[in-house]
Coordinates of all heavy atoms in Angstrom, one line a residue:
D854 N -28.2 60.5 -34.9 CA -28.6 61.2 -33.7 C -27.8 62.5 -33.4 O -27.8 62.9 -32.2 CB -28.6 60.2 -32.5 CG -29.5 59.1 -32.7 OD1 -30.6 59.3 -33.4 OD2 -29.2 58.0 -32.3
A855 N -27.1 63.1 -34.4 CA -26.4 64.3 -34.1 C -27.3 65.4 -33.6 O -28.5 65.5 -34.1 CB -25.7 64.8 -35.4
P856 N -26.9 66.2 -32.6 CA -27.8 67.2 -32.0 C -28.0 68.4 -33.0 O -29.0 69.1 -32.8 CB -27.0 67.6 -30.8 CG -25.6 67.3 -31.1 CD -25.6 66.1 -31.9
V857 N -27.1 68.6 -33.9 CA -27.3 69.7 -34.8 C -27.3 69.2 -36.3 O -26.4 68.4 -36.7 CB -26.1 70.7 -34.7 CG1 -26.3 71.9 -35.7 CG2 -26.1 71.3 -33.2
G858 N -28.3 69.6 -37.0 CA -28.3 69.3 -38.5 C -28.3 70.7 -39.2 O -29.1 71.5 -39.0
L859 N -27.3 70.8 -40.1 CA -27.2 72.0 -40.9 C -27.7 71.7 -42.4 O -27.4 70.7 -42.9 CB -25.7 72.5 -40.9 CG -25.1 72.7 -39.6 CD1 -23.5 72.7 -39.7 CD2 -25.6 74.0 -39.0
I860 N -28.4 72.7 -42.9 CA -28.7 72.6 -44.3 C -28.1 73.8 -45.0 O -28.3 74.9 -44.6 CB -30.3 72.6 -44.6 CG1 -30.9 71.3 -44.0 CG2 -30.6 72.7 -46.0 CD1 -30.6 70.0 -44.7
F861 N -27.3 73.5 -46.1 CA -26.6 74.6 -46.8 C -27.3 74.9 -48.1 O -27.7 74.0 -48.9 CB -25.2 74.1 -47.1 CG -24.4 74.0 -45.8 CD1 -24.4 72.8 -45.1 CD2 -23.7 75.1 -45.3 CE1 -23.6 72.7 -43.9 CE2 -23.0 74.9 -44.1 CZ -23.0 73.7 -43.4
T862 N -27.4 76.2 -48.4 CA -28.0 76.6 -49.7 C -27.1 77.6 -50.4 O -26.2 78.3 -49.7 CB -29.4 77.3 -49.5 OG1 -29.2 78.5 -48.8 CG2 -30.3 76.4 -48.7
V863 N -27.2 77.7 -51.7 CA -26.5 78.8 -52.4 C -27.4 79.5 -53.4 O -28.3 78.8 -53.9 CB -25.3 78.1 -53.2 CG1 -25.7 77.2 -54.3 CG2 -24.3 79.2 -53.7
D864 N -27.1 80.7 -53.6 CA -27.9 81.5 -54.6 C -27.8 80.9 -56.0 O -26.7 80.6 -56.5 CB -27.4 83.0 -54.6 CG -28.3 83.9 -55.3 OD1 -28.6 83.6 -56.5 OD2 -28.8 84.9 -54.7
R865 N -29.0 80.7 -56.6 CA -29.1 80.0 -57.9 C -28.3 80.7 -59.0 O -27.9 80.1 -60.0 CB -30.6 79.9 -58.2 CG -31.0 79.0 -59.3 CD -32.5 78.9 -59.4 NE -33.1 78.2 -58.3 CZ -33.1 76.9 -58.2 NH1 -32.5 76.1 -59.0 NH2 -33.7 76.3 -57.2
R866 N -28.1 82.0 -58.8 CA -27.5 82.8 -59.9 C -25.9 82.6 -59.9 O -25.3 83.0 -60.9 CB -27.7 84.3 -59.7 CG -29.2 84.7 -59.9 CD -29.4 86.1 -59.4 NE -29.1 86.2 -58.0 CZ -29.3 87.3 -57.3 NH1 -29.6 88.5 -57.8 NH2 -29.0 87.4 -56.0
L867 N -25.4 82.0 -58.9 CA -23.9 81.8 -58.8 C -23.5 80.7 -59.7 O -24.1 79.6 -59.8 CB -23.5 81.7 -57.4 CG -23.8 82.9 -56.5 CD1 -23.5 82.7 -55.0 CD2 -23.1 84.2 -57.0
N868 N -22.3 80.8 -60.2 CA -21.7 79.8 -61.1 C -20.7 78.9 -60.5 O -20.4 79.0 -59.3 CB -21.2 80.5 -62.4 CG -22.4 80.9 -63.2 OD1 -23.4 80.2 -63.4 ND2 -22.3 82.1 -63.8
K869 N -20.0 78.2 -61.4 CA -19.0 77.2 -60.9 C -18.0 77.7 -59.9 O -17.7 77.1 -58.9 CB -18.2 76.7 -62.1 CG -18.8 75.6 -62.9 CD -17.9 75.1 -64.0 CE -18.7 74.4 -65.1 NZ -18.1 74.5 -66.4
G870 N -17.4 78.9 -60.1 CA -16.4 79.5 -59.2 C -17.0 79.6 -57.8 O -16.3 79.3 -56.8
S871 N -18.2 80.0 -57.7 CA -18.8 80.2 -56.4 C -19.0 78.8 -55.7 O -19.0 78.7 -54.5 CB -20.1 80.9 -56.5 OG -19.9 82.2 -57.0
W872 N -19.3 77.8 -56.5 CA -19.5 76.5 -55.9 C -18.1 76.0 -55.4 O -18.1 75.2 -54.4 CB -20.1 75.5 -57.0 CG -21.6 75.7 -57.1 CD1 -22.2 76.7 -57.8 CD2 -22.6 74.9 -56.5 NE1 -23.6 76.5 -57.7 CE2 -23.8 75.4 -56.9 CE3 -22.6 73.7 -55.7 CZ2 -25.0 74.9 -56.5 CZ3 -23.8 73.1 -55.3 CH2 -25.0 73.7 -55.7
I873 N -17.0 76.3 -56.1 CA -15.7 76.0 -55.6 C -15.5 76.7 -54.2 O -15.1 76.1 -53.3 CB -14.6 76.3 -56.6 CG1 -14.7 75.4 -57.8 CG2 -13.2 76.2 -56.0 CD1 -13.9 75.9 -59.0
D874 N -15.8 78.0 -54.2 CA -15.7 78.7 -52.9 C -16.6 78.0 -51.9 O -16.1 78.0 -50.7 CB -16.2 80.2 -53.1 CG -15.4 81.0 -54.0 OD1 -14.2 80.6 -54.3 OD2 -15.9 82.0 -54.5
Y875 N -17.7 77.6 -52.3 CA -18.6 77.0 -51.3 C -18.0 75.7 -50.7 O -18.2 75.4 -49.5 CB -20.0 76.7 -52.0 CG -21.1 76.7 -51.0 CD1 -22.0 77.8 -51.0 CD2 -21.4 75.7 -50.2 CE1 -23.0 77.9 -50.1 CE2 -22.5 75.7 -49.3 CZ -23.3 76.9 -49.2 OH -24.3 76.9 -48.4
G876 N -17.3 74.9 -51.5 CA -16.7 73.7 -51.0 C -15.6 74.1 -50.0 O -15.5 73.4 -48.9
M877 N -14.9 75.2 -50.2 CA -13.9 75.6 -49.2 C -14.6 76.0 -47.9 O -14.1 75.8 -46.8 CB -13.0 76.7 -49.8 CG -12.2 76.2 -50.9 SD -10.9 77.4 -51.4 CE -12.0 78.5 -52.4
F878 N -15.8 76.7 -48.1 CA -16.5 77.2 -46.9 C -17.0 76.0 -46.1 O -16.8 76.0 -44.9 CB -17.7 78.0 -47.5 CG -18.8 78.2 -46.5 CD1 -18.6 79.0 -45.4 CD2 -20.1 77.8 -46.8 CE1 -19.7 79.2 -44.5 CE2 -21.2 78.0 -45.9 CZ -20.9 78.7 -44.7
L879 N -17.5 74.9 -46.8 CA -17.9 73.7 -46.1 C -16.7 73.1 -45.3 O -16.8 72.7 -44.2 CB -18.5 72.7 -47.0 CG -19.8 73.1 -47.7 CD1 -20.2 72.1 -48.8 CD2 -20.9 73.1 -46.6
Q880 N -15.6 73.0 -46.0 CA -14.4 72.4 -45.4 C -13.9 73.2 -44.2 O -13.5 72.7 -43.2 CB -13.3 72.2 -46.4 CG -12.1 71.6 -45.7 CD -11.3 70.7 -46.7 OE1 -11.3 71.0 -47.9 NE2 -10.6 69.7 -46.2
N881 N -14.0 74.6 -44.3 CA -13.6 75.4 -43.1 C -14.5 75.1 -41.9 O -14.0 75.1 -40.8 CB -13.7 76.9 -43.5 CG -12.6 77.3 -44.4 OD1 -11.6 76.7 -44.5 ND2 -12.8 78.5 -45.1
I882 N -15.8 74.9 -42.2 CA -16.7 74.5 -41.1 C -16.2 73.2 -40.5 O -16.2 73.0 -39.2 CB -18.1 74.5 -41.5 CG1 -18.6 75.9 -41.9 CG2 -19.1 73.9 -40.4 CD1 -20.0 76.0 -42.6
M883 N -16.0 72.2 -41.3 CA -15.6 70.9 -40.8 C -14.2 71.0 -40.1 O -14.1 70.3 -39.0 CB -15.5 69.9 -42.0 CG -16.8 69.6 -42.6 SD -16.8 68.4 -43.9 CE -16.5 69.3 -45.4
V884 N -13.3 71.7 -40.6 CA -12.0 71.8 -39.9 C -12.1 72.6 -38.6 O -11.6 72.2 -37.5 CB -10.9 72.5 -40.8 CG1 -9.7 72.9 -40.1 CG2 -10.6 71.7 -42.0
A885 N -12.9 73.7 -38.6 CA -13.2 74.4 -37.4 C -13.9 73.6 -36.3 O -13.5 73.7 -35.1 CB -14.1 75.7 -37.7
A886 N -14.8 72.7 -36.8 CA -15.5 71.8 -35.8 C -14.4 70.9 -35.1 O -14.4 70.7 -33.9 CB -16.5 71.0 -36.5
R887 N -13.5 70.3 -35.9 CA -12.5 69.5 -35.4 C -11.7 70.2 -34.4 O -11.2 69.7 -33.3 CB -11.6 68.8 -36.5 CG -12.3 67.8 -37.3 CD -12.9 66.6 -36.5 NE -11.9 65.9 -35.8 CZ -11.9 65.7 -34.5 NH1 -12.9 66.1 -33.8 NH2 -11.0 65.0 -33.9
G888 N -11.3 71.5 -34.7 CA -10.5 72.3 -33.8 C -11.2 72.5 -32.5 O -10.5 72.9 -31.5
R889 N -12.5 72.4 -32.4 CA -13.2 72.5 -31.2 C -13.7 71.2 -30.6 O -14.6 71.1 -29.7 CB -14.4 73.4 -31.4 CG -14.0 74.9 -31.6 CD -15.0 75.7 -32.3 NE -14.6 77.1 -32.4 CZ -13.7 77.5 -33.3 NH1 -13.1 76.6 -34.2 NH2 -13.3 78.8 -33.4
G890 N -13.1 70.1 -31.1 CA -13.4 68.8 -30.6 C -14.7 68.2 -31.1 O -15.1 67.1 -30.6
L891 N -15.3 68.8 -32.1 CA -16.6 68.3 -32.7 C -16.3 67.5 -33.9 O -15.2 67.6 -34.5 CB -17.5 69.5 -33.0 CG -18.1 70.2 -31.7 CD1 -18.5 71.6 -32.1 CD2 -19.3 69.4 -31.2
H892 N -17.3 66.8 -34.4 CA -17.2 66.0 -35.6 C -18.3 66.4 -36.5 O -19.4 66.9 -36.1 CB -17.3 64.5 -35.3 CG -16.1 64.0 -34.5 ND1 -16.1 64.1 -33.2 CD2 -15.0 63.4 -34.9 CE1 -15.0 63.6 -32.7 NE2 -14.2 63.2 -33.8
T893 N -18.1 66.2 -37.8 CA -19.2 66.5 -38.8 C -19.3 65.4 -39.8 O -18.4 64.5 -39.9 CB -18.8 67.8 -39.6 OG1 -17.6 67.6 -40.3 CG2 -18.8 69.0 -38.8
C894 N -20.5 65.3 -40.5 CA -20.6 64.4 -41.6 C -21.4 65.1 -42.7 O -22.6 65.4 -42.5 CB -21.3 63.1 -41.1 SG -21.6 62.0 -42.5
P895 N -20.7 65.6 -43.7 CA -21.5 66.3 -44.8 C -22.3 65.2 -45.6 O -21.8 64.1 -45.8 CB -20.4 66.9 -45.7 CG -19.2 66.0 -45.4 CD -19.3 65.5 -44.0
Q896 N -23.5 65.6 -46.0 CA -24.4 64.7 -46.6 C -25.1 65.4 -47.8 O -26.1 66.1 -47.6 CB -25.4 64.2 -45.6 CG -24.8 63.3 -44.6 CD -25.4 63.6 -43.2 OE1 -25.8 64.7 -42.9 NE2 -25.5 62.5 -42.4
A897 N -24.6 65.1 -49.0 CA -25.3 65.5 -50.2 C -26.7 64.9 -50.4 O -27.5 65.3 -51.2 CB -24.4 65.3 -51.4
A898 N -26.8 63.7 -49.7 CA -28.1 63.0 -49.9 C -29.3 63.8 -49.5 O -30.4 63.4 -49.9 CB -28.0 61.7 -49.0
F899 N -29.2 64.9 -48.8 CA -30.3 65.7 -48.5 C -30.8 66.5 -49.7 O -32.0 66.8 -49.8 CB -30.0 66.7 -47.4 CG -30.0 66.1 -46.0 CD1 -28.9 65.7 -45.4 CD2 -31.2 66.0 -45.4 CE1 -28.9 65.2 -44.1 CE2 -31.3 65.4 -44.1 CZ -30.1 65.0 -43.5
A900 N -29.9 66.8 -50.6 CA -30.2 67.7 -51.7 C -31.5 67.3 -52.6 O -32.3 68.1 -52.9 CB -29.0 67.9 -52.6
P901 N -31.6 66.0 -52.9 CA -32.8 65.5 -53.7 C -34.1 65.7 -52.9 O -35.1 65.7 -53.6 CB -32.5 64.1 -54.0 CG -31.1 63.8 -53.7 CD -30.6 64.9 -52.7
Y902 N -34.0 66.0 -51.6 CA -35.2 66.1 -50.8 C -35.6 67.6 -50.6 O -36.3 68.0 -49.7 CB -35.1 65.4 -49.5 CG -35.0 63.9 -49.7 CD1 -33.7 63.3 -49.7 CD2 -36.1 63.1 -50.1 CE1 -33.6 61.9 -49.9 CE2 -35.9 61.8 -50.3 CZ -34.7 61.2 -50.2 OH -34.5 59.8 -50.5
H903 N -35.0 68.5 -51.5 CA -35.2 69.9 -51.3 C -36.7 70.3 -51.2 O -37.0 71.3 -50.5 CB -34.4 70.7 -52.3 CG -34.9 70.6 -53.7 ND1 -35.7 71.5 -54.2 CD2 -34.7 69.6 -54.6 CE1 -36.0 71.2 -55.5 NE2 -35.4 70.0 -55.7
R904 N -37.5 69.6 -51.9 CA -38.9 70.0 -51.9 C -39.6 69.8 -50.6 O -40.5 70.5 -50.2 CB -39.7 69.2 -53.0 CG -39.5 69.7 -54.4 CD -40.3 68.9 -55.5 NE -39.8 69.3 -56.8 CZ -38.8 68.7 -57.4 NH1 -38.1 67.7 -56.7 NH2 -38.3 69.0 -58.6
Q905 N -39.1 68.8 -49.8 CA -39.6 68.6 -48.5 C -39.0 69.6 -47.5 O -39.6 70.0 -46.5 CB -39.3 67.1 -48.1 CG -40.2 66.1 -48.7 CD -39.7 65.8 -50.2 OE1 -38.6 66.0 -50.5 NE2 -40.6 65.3 -51.0
I906 N -37.7 69.9 -47.7 CA -36.9 70.7 -46.8 C -37.3 72.2 -46.9 O -37.4 72.9 -45.9 CB -35.4 70.6 -47.1 CG1 -35.0 69.1 -46.8 CG2 -34.6 71.6 -46.2 CD1 -33.6 68.8 -47.3
R907 N -37.6 72.7 -48.1 CA -37.9 74.1 -48.4 C -39.0 74.7 -47.4 O -38.8 75.7 -46.7 CB -38.3 74.3 -49.8 CG -37.1 74.3 -50.8 CD -37.6 74.6 -52.2 NE -36.4 74.3 -53.1 CZ -35.4 75.1 -53.2 NH1 -35.4 76.2 -52.7 NH2 -34.4 74.7 -54.0
P908 N -40.2 74.0 -47.4 CA -41.2 74.6 -46.6 C -40.9 74.6 -45.1 O -41.2 75.5 -44.3 CB -42.5 73.8 -46.9 CG -42.0 72.5 -47.5 CD -40.6 72.9 -48.1
V909 N -40.2 73.6 -44.6 CA -39.8 73.5 -43.2 C -38.9 74.6 -42.8 O -39.0 75.2 -41.7 CB -39.2 72.1 -42.9 CG1 -38.7 72.0 -41.4 CG2 -40.1 71.0 -43.3
L910 N -37.9 74.9 -43.7 CA -36.9 75.9 -43.3 C -37.1 77.3 -44.0 O -36.2 78.2 -43.9 CB -35.5 75.4 -43.6 CG -35.1 74.2 -42.8 CD1 -33.7 73.7 -43.3 CD2 -35.1 74.4 -41.4
D911 N -38.2 77.4 -44.8 CA -38.5 78.6 -45.4 C -37.5 79.0 -46.4 O -37.0 80.1 -46.4 CB -38.8 79.7 -44.4 CG -39.7 80.8 -44.9 OD1 -40.4 80.5 -45.9 OD2 -39.7 81.9 -44.3
I912 N -37.0 78.1 -47.3 CA -36.0 78.3 -48.2 C -36.6 78.7 -49.6 O -37.4 78.0 -50.1 CB -35.1 77.0 -48.4 CG1 -34.4 76.7 -47.1 CG2 -34.0 77.3 -49.5 CD1 -33.7 75.3 -47.2
P913 N -36.3 80.0 -50.0 CA -36.9 80.4 -51.3 C -36.4 79.7 -52.5 O -35.3 79.1 -52.5 CB -36.5 81.9 -51.3 CG -35.3 82.0 -50.5 CD -35.3 80.9 -49.5
D914 N -37.1 79.7 -53.6 CA -36.7 79.1 -54.9 C -35.4 79.6 -55.4 O -34.8 78.9 -56.2 CB -37.8 79.2 -55.9 CG -39.0 78.3 -55.6 OD1 -38.9 77.4 -54.8 OD2 -40.1 78.6 -56.2
E915 N -35.0 80.8 -55.0 CA -33.8 81.4 -55.6 C -32.6 80.7 -55.0 O -31.4 81.0 -55.4 CB -33.7 82.9 -55.2 CG -34.8 83.8 -55.9 CD -36.1 83.7 -55.1 OE1 -36.1 83.9 -53.9 OE2 -37.1 83.4 -55.8
E916 N -32.8 79.9 -54.0 CA -31.6 79.2 -53.3 C -31.6 77.7 -53.7 O -32.7 77.1 -53.7 CB -31.8 79.3 -51.8 CG -31.6 80.7 -51.2 CD -30.2 81.2 -51.1 OE1 -29.3 80.4 -50.7 OE2 -30.0 82.4 -51.4
I917 N -30.5 77.2 -54.0 CA -30.4 75.7 -54.3 C -29.9 75.1 -53.0 O -29.0 75.6 -52.3 CB -29.3 75.4 -55.4 CG1 -29.8 76.1 -56.7 CG2 -29.1 73.9 -55.6 CD1 -28.7 75.9 -57.8
V918 N -30.5 73.9 -52.6 CA -30.1 73.2 -51.4 C -28.8 72.4 -51.9 O -28.9 71.5 -52.8 CB -31.1 72.2 -50.9 CG1 -30.6 71.3 -49.8 CG2 -32.3 73.0 -50.4
V919 N -27.7 72.7 -51.3 CA -26.4 72.1 -51.7 C -26.2 70.8 -51.0 O -25.9 69.7 -51.6 CB -25.2 73.0 -51.3 CG1 -23.9 72.4 -51.6 CG2 -25.3 74.4 -52.0
C920 N -26.3 70.8 -49.6 CA -26.1 69.6 -48.9 C -26.6 69.8 -47.4 O -26.9 70.9 -47.1 CB -24.7 69.1 -48.9 SG -23.5 70.3 -48.0
G921 N -26.5 68.7 -46.7 CA -26.7 68.8 -45.2 C -25.4 68.5 -44.5 O -24.4 68.1 -45.2
M922 N -25.4 68.7 -43.2 CA -24.2 68.3 -42.5 C -24.6 68.1 -41.0 O -25.3 68.9 -40.4 CB -23.2 69.4 -42.5 CG -21.8 69.0 -41.9 SD -20.6 70.4 -41.8 CE -20.3 70.7 -43.5
A923 N -24.2 66.9 -40.5 CA -24.5 66.6 -39.1 C -23.3 67.1 -38.3 O -22.2 67.1 -38.8 CB -24.6 65.1 -38.9
L924 N -23.6 67.7 -37.2 CA -22.6 68.3 -36.3 C -22.8 67.8 -34.9 O -23.9 67.9 -34.4 CB -22.7 69.8 -36.4 CG -21.8 70.6 -35.4 CD1 -20.3 70.5 -35.8 CD2 -22.2 72.1 -35.4
G925 N -21.8 67.3 -34.3 CA -21.9 66.9 -32.9 C -20.6 66.1 -32.4 O -19.6 66.3 -33.1
Y926 N -20.7 65.4 -31.4 CA -19.6 64.6 -30.9 C -19.8 63.2 -31.4 O -20.8 62.6 -31.3 CB -19.5 64.6 -29.4 CG -19.2 66.0 -28.9 CD1 -20.2 66.8 -28.4 CD2 -17.9 66.5 -28.9 CE1 -19.9 68.1 -27.9 CE2 -17.6 67.8 -28.5 CZ -18.6 68.6 -28.0 OH -18.3 69.8 -27.5
E927 N -18.7 62.6 -32.0 CA -18.7 61.2 -32.5 C -19.1 60.3 -31.4 O -18.7 60.3 -30.3 CB -17.3 60.9 -33.0 CG -17.2 59.5 -33.5 CD -15.7 59.1 -33.8 OE1 -14.8 59.7 -33.3 OE2 -15.5 58.2 -34.7
D928 N -20.1 59.4 -31.8 CA -20.5 58.3 -30.9 C -19.6 57.1 -31.2 O -19.9 56.4 -32.2 CB -22.0 58.0 -31.1 CG -22.5 56.9 -30.1 OD1 -21.6 56.3 -29.5 OD2 -23.7 56.8 -30.0
T929 N -18.6 56.8 -30.4 CA -17.7 55.7 -30.8 C -18.3 54.3 -30.5 O -17.7 53.3 -30.9 CB -16.4 55.9 -29.9 OG1 -16.7 56.0 -28.5 CG2 -15.6 57.1 -30.4
S930 N -19.5 54.3 -30.0 CA -20.1 53.0 -29.7 C -20.8 52.5 -31.0 O -21.3 51.4 -31.1 CB -21.1 53.0 -28.6 OG -22.2 53.8 -28.9
K931 N -21.0 53.4 -32.0 CA -21.7 53.1 -33.2 C -20.8 52.5 -34.3 O -19.8 53.1 -34.6 CB -22.4 54.3 -33.8 CG -23.5 54.9 -32.9 CD -24.8 54.0 -32.9 CE -25.8 54.3 -31.9 NZ -26.4 55.6 -32.0
P932 N -21.1 51.3 -34.8 CA -20.2 50.7 -35.8 C -19.9 51.5 -37.0 O -18.8 51.5 -37.6 CB -20.9 49.4 -36.1 CG -22.2 49.4 -35.6 CD -22.3 50.5 -34.5
E933 N -20.9 52.3 -37.4 CA -20.7 53.2 -38.6 C -19.6 54.2 -38.4 O -18.9 54.6 -39.4 CB -22.0 53.9 -39.1 CG -22.6 54.8 -38.1 CD -23.7 54.1 -37.2 OE1 -23.5 52.9 -36.9 OE2 -24.7 54.7 -36.9
N934 N -19.3 54.5 -37.2 CA -18.2 55.5 -36.9 C -16.8 54.8 -36.8 O -15.8 55.5 -36.6 CB -18.5 56.3 -35.7 CG -19.7 57.3 -35.9 OD1 -19.9 57.7 -37.0 ND2 -20.4 57.6 -34.9
E935 N -16.8 53.5 -36.9 CA -15.6 52.8 -36.9 C -15.1 52.6 -38.3 O -13.9 52.2 -38.6 CB -15.7 51.3 -36.3 CG -16.1 51.3 -34.9 CD -15.0 51.9 -34.0 OE1 -13.9 51.5 -34.1 OE2 -15.3 52.9 -33.3
F936 N -15.9 52.9 -39.3 CA -15.5 52.7 -40.7 C -14.4 53.7 -41.1 O -14.6 54.9 -41.0 CB -16.8 52.9 -41.6 CG -16.5 52.6 -43.1 CD1 -16.2 51.3 -43.5 CD2 -16.6 53.6 -44.0 CE1 -15.9 51.1 -44.8 CE2 -16.4 53.4 -45.4 CZ -16.0 52.1 -45.8
R937 N -13.3 53.1 -41.6 CA -12.3 54.0 -42.1 C -12.0 53.7 -43.6 O -11.8 52.5 -44.0 CB -10.9 53.7 -41.3 CG -11.0 54.1 -39.9 CD -11.1 55.7 -39.7 NE -11.2 56.1 -38.3 CZ -12.4 56.3 -37.7 NH1 -13.5 56.2 -38.4 NH2 -12.5 56.7 -36.5
T938 N -12.0 54.7 -44.4 CA -11.8 54.4 -45.9 C -10.3 54.5 -46.2 O -9.6 55.3 -45.5 CB -12.6 55.5 -46.7 OG1 -12.3 56.8 -46.2 CG2 -14.1 55.3 -46.6
D939 N -9.9 53.7 -47.1 CA -8.5 53.8 -47.6 C -8.2 55.1 -48.3 O -9.1 55.7 -48.9 CB -8.1 52.6 -48.5 CG -8.2 51.3 -47.7 OD1 -8.0 51.3 -46.5 OD2 -8.4 50.3 -48.4
R940 N -7.0 55.5 -48.3 CA -6.5 56.7 -49.1 C -5.7 56.2 -50.2 O -4.7 55.4 -50.0 CB -5.8 57.7 -48.2 CG -6.6 58.3 -47.1 CD -7.7 59.2 -47.7 NE -8.5 59.9 -46.7 CZ -9.7 59.5 -46.3 NH1 -10.3 58.5 -46.8 NH2 -10.3 60.3 -45.3
A941 N -6.0 56.6 -51.5 CA -5.2 56.2 -52.6 C -3.8 56.9 -52.5 O -3.7 58.0 -52.0 CB -5.8 56.7 -53.9
P942 N -2.7 56.1 -52.8 CA -1.4 56.7 -52.8 C -1.3 57.9 -53.8 O -1.9 58.0 -54.8 CB -0.5 55.6 -53.2 CG -1.3 54.6 -53.8 CD -2.7 54.8 -53.3
L943 N -0.5 58.9 -53.4 CA -0.3 60.1 -54.2 C -0.1 59.9 -55.7 O -0.7 60.5 -56.5 CB 0.9 60.9 -53.6 CG 1.0 62.4 -53.8 CD1 -0.2 63.1 -53.3 CD2 2.3 62.9 -53.2
E944 N 0.8 58.8 -55.9 CA 1.2 58.6 -57.3 C -0.1 58.2 -58.2 O 0.0 58.3 -59.4 CB 2.2 57.5 -57.4 CG 3.4 57.6 -56.5 CD 3.1 57.2 -55.1 OE1 2.7 56.1 -54.8 OE2 3.2 58.1 -54.2
D945 N -1.1 57.7 -57.5 CA -2.3 57.2 -58.3 C -3.1 58.4 -58.9 O -3.9 58.3 -59.8 CB -3.2 56.4 -57.4 CG -2.7 55.0 -57.3 OD1 -1.5 54.7 -57.7 OD2 -3.4 54.2 -56.6
W946 N -3.0 59.6 -58.3 CA -3.9 60.7 -58.7 C -3.2 62.0 -58.9 O -3.8 63.0 -59.3 CB -5.0 60.8 -57.7 CG -4.6 61.0 -56.3 CD1 -4.3 60.1 -55.3 CD2 -4.5 62.3 -55.6 NE1 -3.9 60.7 -54.1 CE2 -4.1 62.1 -54.2 CE3 -4.8 63.6 -56.0 CZ2 -3.9 63.1 -53.3 CZ3 -4.6 64.6 -55.0 CH2 -4.1 64.3 -53.7
V947 N -1.8 62.0 -58.8 CA -1.1 63.2 -59.1 C -0.1 62.9 -60.2 O 0.6 61.9 -60.2 CB -0.4 63.7 -57.9 CG1 0.5 65.0 -58.2 CG2 -1.3 64.1 -56.8
T948 N 0.0 63.8 -61.2 CA 1.1 63.7 -62.2 C 2.1 64.8 -61.9 O 1.8 66.0 -61.8 CB 0.5 64.0 -63.6 OG1 -0.6 63.0 -63.8 CG2 1.6 63.8 -64.7
F949 N 3.3 64.4 -61.6 CA 4.4 65.3 -61.4 C 5.1 65.6 -62.7 O 5.7 64.7 -63.3 CB 5.4 64.8 -60.4 CG 4.8 64.6 -59.0 CD1 4.3 63.4 -58.6 CD2 4.7 65.7 -58.2 CE1 3.8 63.3 -57.3 CE2 4.1 65.6 -56.9 CZ 3.7 64.4 -56.5
A950 N 5.1 66.8 -63.2 CA 5.8 67.2 -64.5 C 7.2 67.7 -64.1 O 7.3 68.6 -63.3 CB 5.0 68.3 -65.2
T951 N 8.2 67.1 -64.6 CA 9.6 67.5 -64.3 C 10.3 68.1 -65.4 O 9.9 67.9 -66.6 CB 10.4 66.2 -63.8 OG1 10.3 65.2 -64.7 CG2 9.9 65.8 -62.4
Ligands
FMN1280 C1 -20.1 67.9 -49.5 C2 -20.1 66.4 -49.2 C3 -21.3 65.7 -49.3 C4 -21.3 64.3 -49.0 N1 -22.5 63.6 -49.1 C5 -22.5 62.3 -48.8 C6 -23.7 61.5 -48.8 O1 -24.8 62.1 -49.2 N2 -23.7 60.3 -48.5 C7 -22.5 59.6 -48.1 O2 -22.5 58.4 -47.9 N3 -21.3 60.3 -48.0 C8 -21.3 61.6 -48.4 N4 -20.2 62.3 -48.3 C9 -19.0 61.6 -47.8 C10 -19.0 61.5 -46.3 O3 -19.4 62.7 -45.6 C11 -17.6 61.2 -45.8 O4 -16.7 62.1 -46.3 C12 -17.3 59.8 -46.2 O5 -18.0 58.9 -45.4 C13 -15.8 59.5 -46.0 O6 -15.3 59.8 -44.8 P1 -13.8 60.1 -44.6 O7 -13.5 61.1 -45.6 O8 -13.6 60.6 -43.2 O9 -13.1 58.8 -44.9 C14 -20.1 63.7 -48.6 C15 -18.9 64.4 -48.5 C16 -18.9 65.8 -48.8 C17 -17.6 66.6 -48.7

């Protein structure tokens, strides 16, 4: 029930590097939202439905639908917003070369 739904697209001609940039762009939006007391939920699950989304938002074929993102204030009464995922310890995913 978020009041704002964002759909993100990227020009089809852009390659891996631009997708890395795009990830940072998405994260900046999420961090900026937190800075203003808002919450987000990025959702790649929208991407497979691009055929349905395109005509609604007038998205041309030259653009790839990357993901969606819900934006609003967290509803703390909803159990799904209570879910907290564990974080793997640093040693599990970083190799320190000495
Ligand atoms: C670009 C992007 C797309 C995502 N798409 C989905 C998705 O389609 N479905 C889903 O369950 N989680 C998706 N996630 C993960 C959730 O948005 C969220 O990060 C996850 O529930 C873990 O939350 P946490 O990092 O606060 O623990 C996506 C994350 C990112 C960064």
